[in-house]
Amino acid sequence: MVIDVRKCNAEGKYTGTLDFEFEGDESLIDIPFVTFASPVHAVLDYEIYEDNSVEVKGELSFTLKGACSRCLKETEQRILYEAEAFFVPRGAKAEEEDYTYRNGIVDLDEFLRDTVLFALPSALFCAEGCSAPEYNEE
Ligand SMILES: [Zn+2]
């Protein structure tokens, strides 16, 4: 998924919403016997500023399915994750956490991959109670 900054500027469309799905990368999941049950759904608002930096923020959601990390029962969990990022033209002043882009095209792939990685839990549980005995210990 890309944002064509030059085209948006030419058309005077400085804000917009992207609503799309993409396949999650299974290799990002670090929980045994767990996979994506659905494509990742992204709803992202973007705004292009005068200096051509682009702010992107919104929400990613997806469902994980597989074995409960504690009792191995088949389970599913819906994950919602809010994310935002700044994309700055290459060569312009950027903060360390900013992404850069070039040739007037913001490519969201790296941001989407990073966001899925941050959104992924370290374990999957069939119910809150299933994790309680182990995880509530002092
Ligand atoms: Zn369980």
Side-chain angles (χ1 to χ4, degrees), residues 16-20 40-47 55-61 79-87 108 111-112 115 119:
T17 301
L18 302 169
D19 186 331
F20 60 99
V40 181
H41 182 205
V43 181
L44 301 171
D45 293 320
Y46 64 87
E47 181 164 3
E55 183 180 30
V56 176
K57 61 180 166 188
E59 188 175 79
L60 263 59
S61 58
I79 308 285
L80 297 174
Y81 194 82
E82 287 183 16
E84 59 179 291
F86 258 100
F87 293 80
L108 294 171
F111 162 68
L112 294 171
T115 303

Short mmCIF file of all heavy atoms in Angstrom, two decimals, residues 16-20 40-47 55-61 79-87 108 111-112 115 119:
data_model
loop_
_atom_site.label_atom_id
_atom_site.label_comp_id
_atom_site.label_asym_id
_atom_site.label_seq_id
_atom_site.Cartn_x
_atom_site.Cartn_y
_atom_site.Cartn_z
N GLY A 16 -6.80 12.07 3.81
CA GLY A 16 -7.59 10.98 3.26
C GLY A 16 -7.61 9.81 4.22
O GLY A 16 -6.92 9.83 5.26
N THR A 17 -8.39 8.82 3.87
CA THR A 17 -8.47 7.61 4.68
C THR A 17 -8.22 6.41 3.79
O THR A 17 -8.76 6.32 2.69
CB THR A 17 -9.87 7.48 5.33
OG1 THR A 17 -10.12 8.62 6.15
CG2 THR A 17 -9.95 6.23 6.19
N LEU A 18 -7.38 5.52 4.27
CA LEU A 18 -7.11 4.26 3.57
C LEU A 18 -7.74 3.14 4.38
O LEU A 18 -7.55 3.05 5.58
CB LEU A 18 -5.61 4.01 3.46
CG LEU A 18 -4.79 5.09 2.75
CD1 LEU A 18 -3.31 4.84 2.95
CD2 LEU A 18 -5.13 5.10 1.27
N ASP A 19 -8.51 2.32 3.71
CA ASP A 19 -9.18 1.19 4.37
C ASP A 19 -8.88 -0.03 3.52
O ASP A 19 -9.36 -0.14 2.40
CB ASP A 19 -10.69 1.49 4.44
CG ASP A 19 -11.45 0.45 5.24
OD1 ASP A 19 -11.02 -0.72 5.29
OD2 ASP A 19 -12.51 0.81 5.80
N PHE A 20 -8.06 -0.93 4.02
CA PHE A 20 -7.62 -2.05 3.20
C PHE A 20 -7.23 -3.24 4.07
O PHE A 20 -7.10 -3.12 5.29
CB PHE A 20 -6.43 -1.64 2.31
CG PHE A 20 -5.22 -1.18 3.09
CD1 PHE A 20 -4.17 -2.05 3.33
CD2 PHE A 20 -5.14 0.10 3.59
CE1 PHE A 20 -3.05 -1.64 4.05
CE2 PHE A 20 -4.03 0.53 4.32
CZ PHE A 20 -2.99 -0.34 4.54
N VAL A 40 -5.07 -8.96 7.90
CA VAL A 40 -4.98 -7.78 8.76
C VAL A 40 -5.80 -6.67 8.11
O VAL A 40 -5.65 -6.40 6.92
CB VAL A 40 -3.52 -7.33 8.94
CG1 VAL A 40 -3.45 -6.11 9.87
CG2 VAL A 40 -2.67 -8.47 9.49
N HIS A 41 -6.69 -6.06 8.89
CA HIS A 41 -7.51 -4.96 8.39
C HIS A 41 -6.93 -3.65 8.90
O HIS A 41 -6.71 -3.50 10.10
CB HIS A 41 -8.96 -5.15 8.88
CG HIS A 41 -9.90 -4.10 8.38
ND1 HIS A 41 -11.06 -3.77 9.04
CD2 HIS A 41 -9.86 -3.31 7.28
CE1 HIS A 41 -11.69 -2.81 8.36
NE2 HIS A 41 -10.98 -2.50 7.29
N ALA A 42 -6.66 -2.74 8.00
CA ALA A 42 -6.09 -1.45 8.38
C ALA A 42 -7.04 -0.33 7.99
O ALA A 42 -7.58 -0.33 6.89
CB ALA A 42 -4.74 -1.24 7.70
N VAL A 43 -7.27 0.58 8.92
CA VAL A 43 -8.00 1.82 8.62
C VAL A 43 -7.10 2.96 9.07
O VAL A 43 -6.85 3.14 10.27
CB VAL A 43 -9.36 1.90 9.35
CG1 VAL A 43 -10.08 3.20 8.99
CG2 VAL A 43 -10.22 0.70 9.00
N LEU A 44 -6.55 3.69 8.10
CA LEU A 44 -5.54 4.69 8.40
C LEU A 44 -5.93 6.05 7.82
O LEU A 44 -6.32 6.13 6.65
CB LEU A 44 -4.19 4.27 7.80
CG LEU A 44 -3.62 2.93 8.27
CD1 LEU A 44 -2.40 2.56 7.42
CD2 LEU A 44 -3.25 2.98 9.74
N ASP A 45 -5.84 7.07 8.65
CA ASP A 45 -6.00 8.45 8.16
C ASP A 45 -4.62 9.01 7.87
O ASP A 45 -3.68 8.78 8.63
CB ASP A 45 -6.68 9.32 9.23
CG ASP A 45 -8.11 8.90 9.48
OD1 ASP A 45 -8.80 8.57 8.49
OD2 ASP A 45 -8.53 8.89 10.64
N TYR A 46 -4.52 9.77 6.80
CA TYR A 46 -3.24 10.43 6.54
C TYR A 46 -3.44 11.91 6.28
O TYR A 46 -4.51 12.34 5.87
CB TYR A 46 -2.49 9.77 5.37
CG TYR A 46 -3.19 9.89 4.03
CD1 TYR A 46 -2.99 11.00 3.21
CD2 TYR A 46 -4.03 8.88 3.59
CE1 TYR A 46 -3.62 11.10 1.99
CE2 TYR A 46 -4.67 8.99 2.37
CZ TYR A 46 -4.47 10.09 1.57
OH TYR A 46 -5.11 10.20 0.36
N GLU A 47 -2.38 12.66 6.57
CA GLU A 47 -2.39 14.09 6.30
C GLU A 47 -1.02 14.48 5.79
O GLU A 47 0.00 14.12 6.37
CB GLU A 47 -2.74 14.87 7.58
CG GLU A 47 -2.79 16.37 7.34
CD GLU A 47 -3.50 17.14 8.45
OE1 GLU A 47 -3.92 16.50 9.44
OE2 GLU A 47 -3.62 18.37 8.31
N GLU A 55 1.70 12.43 7.99
CA GLU A 55 1.32 11.78 9.24
C GLU A 55 0.29 10.70 8.92
O GLU A 55 -0.68 10.95 8.20
CB GLU A 55 0.72 12.81 10.22
CG GLU A 55 0.36 12.20 11.56
CD GLU A 55 -0.22 13.24 12.51
OE1 GLU A 55 -0.85 14.20 12.04
OE2 GLU A 55 -0.03 13.08 13.73
N VAL A 56 0.53 9.51 9.45
CA VAL A 56 -0.39 8.40 9.24
C VAL A 56 -0.79 7.87 10.60
O VAL A 56 0.07 7.59 11.44
CB VAL A 56 0.29 7.26 8.44
CG1 VAL A 56 -0.64 6.06 8.30
CG2 VAL A 56 0.71 7.75 7.06
N LYS A 57 -2.09 7.79 10.85
CA LYS A 57 -2.51 7.17 12.11
C LYS A 57 -3.85 6.47 11.95
O LYS A 57 -4.67 6.86 11.13
CB LYS A 57 -2.54 8.17 13.26
CG LYS A 57 -3.46 9.32 13.11
CD LYS A 57 -3.34 10.20 14.37
CE LYS A 57 -3.98 11.55 14.16
NZ LYS A 57 -3.71 12.45 15.27
N GLY A 58 -3.99 5.41 12.72
CA GLY A 58 -5.22 4.65 12.63
C GLY A 58 -5.11 3.35 13.38
O GLY A 58 -4.37 3.26 14.37
N GLU A 59 -5.84 2.37 12.92
CA GLU A 59 -5.94 1.13 13.68
C GLU A 59 -5.77 -0.09 12.77
O GLU A 59 -6.29 -0.12 11.67
CB GLU A 59 -7.31 1.07 14.36
CG GLU A 59 -7.45 -0.07 15.34
CD GLU A 59 -8.78 0.00 16.07
OE1 GLU A 59 -9.80 -0.41 15.47
OE2 GLU A 59 -8.80 0.45 17.21
N LEU A 60 -5.03 -1.05 13.29
CA LEU A 60 -4.93 -2.35 12.64
C LEU A 60 -5.69 -3.36 13.48
O LEU A 60 -5.65 -3.30 14.71
CB LEU A 60 -3.47 -2.80 12.55
CG LEU A 60 -2.75 -2.53 11.21
CD1 LEU A 60 -2.76 -1.05 10.91
CD2 LEU A 60 -1.34 -3.07 11.25
N SER A 61 -6.38 -4.28 12.83
CA SER A 61 -7.05 -5.33 13.57
C SER A 61 -6.91 -6.65 12.82
O SER A 61 -6.85 -6.69 11.59
CB SER A 61 -8.53 -4.99 13.78
OG SER A 61 -9.18 -4.80 12.55
N ILE A 79 -7.29 -8.95 17.87
CA ILE A 79 -6.30 -7.97 18.29
C ILE A 79 -6.63 -6.63 17.62
O ILE A 79 -6.82 -6.57 16.41
CB ILE A 79 -4.87 -8.38 17.84
CG1 ILE A 79 -4.55 -9.82 18.28
CG2 ILE A 79 -3.84 -7.38 18.33
CD1 ILE A 79 -4.26 -9.99 19.72
N LEU A 80 -6.69 -5.58 18.43
CA LEU A 80 -6.83 -4.21 17.91
C LEU A 80 -5.60 -3.44 18.33
O LEU A 80 -5.18 -3.53 19.48
CB LEU A 80 -8.07 -3.53 18.50
CG LEU A 80 -9.44 -4.12 18.19
CD1 LEU A 80 -10.51 -3.39 18.98
CD2 LEU A 80 -9.73 -4.02 16.70
N TYR A 81 -5.06 -2.67 17.41
CA TYR A 81 -3.84 -1.94 17.77
C TYR A 81 -3.82 -0.59 17.06
O TYR A 81 -3.97 -0.51 15.85
CB TYR A 81 -2.62 -2.77 17.36
CG TYR A 81 -1.34 -2.27 17.97
CD1 TYR A 81 -0.97 -2.62 19.26
CD2 TYR A 81 -0.49 -1.44 17.24
CE1 TYR A 81 0.21 -2.17 19.82
CE2 TYR A 81 0.71 -0.98 17.79
CZ TYR A 81 1.04 -1.35 19.09
OH TYR A 81 2.21 -0.90 19.64
N GLU A 82 -3.66 0.46 17.86
CA GLU A 82 -3.58 1.80 17.28
C GLU A 82 -2.14 2.16 16.99
O GLU A 82 -1.25 1.86 17.79
CB GLU A 82 -4.18 2.83 18.24
CG GLU A 82 -5.69 2.74 18.29
CD GLU A 82 -6.32 3.79 19.18
OE1 GLU A 82 -5.65 4.77 19.52
OE2 GLU A 82 -7.49 3.60 19.53
N ALA A 83 -1.93 2.79 15.85
CA ALA A 83 -0.56 3.11 15.46
C ALA A 83 -0.52 4.45 14.77
O ALA A 83 -1.51 4.89 14.18
CB ALA A 83 -0.03 2.04 14.53
N GLU A 84 0.61 5.10 14.86
CA GLU A 84 0.81 6.30 14.08
C GLU A 84 2.27 6.44 13.72
O GLU A 84 3.15 5.87 14.39
CB GLU A 84 0.32 7.54 14.83
CG GLU A 84 0.97 7.80 16.15
CD GLU A 84 0.40 9.08 16.77
OE1 GLU A 84 0.68 10.16 16.24
OE2 GLU A 84 -0.32 8.95 17.76
N ALA A 85 2.53 7.15 12.64
CA ALA A 85 3.90 7.31 12.18
C ALA A 85 4.02 8.57 11.35
O ALA A 85 3.03 9.05 10.78
CB ALA A 85 4.33 6.09 11.36
N PHE A 86 5.23 9.08 11.28
CA PHE A 86 5.55 10.19 10.40
C PHE A 86 6.47 9.69 9.29
O PHE A 86 7.41 8.94 9.54
CB PHE A 86 6.27 11.30 11.17
CG PHE A 86 5.38 12.46 11.50
CD1 PHE A 86 4.84 12.58 12.77
CD2 PHE A 86 5.06 13.40 10.54
CE1 PHE A 86 4.00 13.65 13.08
CE2 PHE A 86 4.23 14.47 10.83
CZ PHE A 86 3.69 14.59 12.11
N PHE A 87 6.16 10.10 8.08
CA PHE A 87 7.01 9.80 6.94
C PHE A 87 7.57 11.11 6.42
O PHE A 87 6.82 12.05 6.16
CB PHE A 87 6.19 9.12 5.83
CG PHE A 87 5.71 7.75 6.22
CD1 PHE A 87 4.59 7.59 7.02
CD2 PHE A 87 6.39 6.61 5.79
CE1 PHE A 87 4.15 6.33 7.38
CE2 PHE A 87 5.95 5.35 6.15
CZ PHE A 87 4.84 5.20 6.95
N LEU A 108 3.95 2.07 2.70
CA LEU A 108 3.54 1.77 4.07
C LEU A 108 3.98 0.38 4.54
O LEU A 108 3.77 0.03 5.70
CB LEU A 108 2.01 1.87 4.18
CG LEU A 108 1.42 3.27 3.99
CD1 LEU A 108 -0.09 3.18 3.90
CD2 LEU A 108 1.84 4.19 5.12
N PHE A 111 6.13 0.11 7.76
CA PHE A 111 5.32 0.57 8.89
C PHE A 111 4.28 -0.49 9.28
O PHE A 111 4.08 -0.79 10.46
CB PHE A 111 4.66 1.90 8.52
CG PHE A 111 3.48 2.27 9.37
CD1 PHE A 111 3.64 2.60 10.70
CD2 PHE A 111 2.20 2.32 8.82
CE1 PHE A 111 2.55 2.96 11.49
CE2 PHE A 111 1.11 2.67 9.59
CZ PHE A 111 1.28 2.99 10.93
N LEU A 112 3.63 -1.09 8.29
CA LEU A 112 2.60 -2.09 8.56
C LEU A 112 3.22 -3.32 9.21
O LEU A 112 2.67 -3.89 10.15
CB LEU A 112 1.89 -2.49 7.27
CG LEU A 112 1.05 -1.38 6.62
CD1 LEU A 112 0.56 -1.82 5.24
CD2 LEU A 112 -0.13 -0.98 7.49
N THR A 115 4.13 -2.48 12.74
CA THR A 115 2.94 -2.33 13.58
C THR A 115 2.36 -3.70 13.95
O THR A 115 1.96 -3.93 15.10
CB THR A 115 1.89 -1.47 12.87
OG1 THR A 115 2.46 -0.20 12.55
CG2 THR A 115 0.67 -1.25 13.74
N ALA A 119 1.93 -5.23 17.65
CA ALA A 119 0.58 -5.60 18.07
C ALA A 119 0.50 -7.04 18.56
O ALA A 119 -0.38 -7.39 19.34
CB ALA A 119 -0.39 -5.41 16.90
#
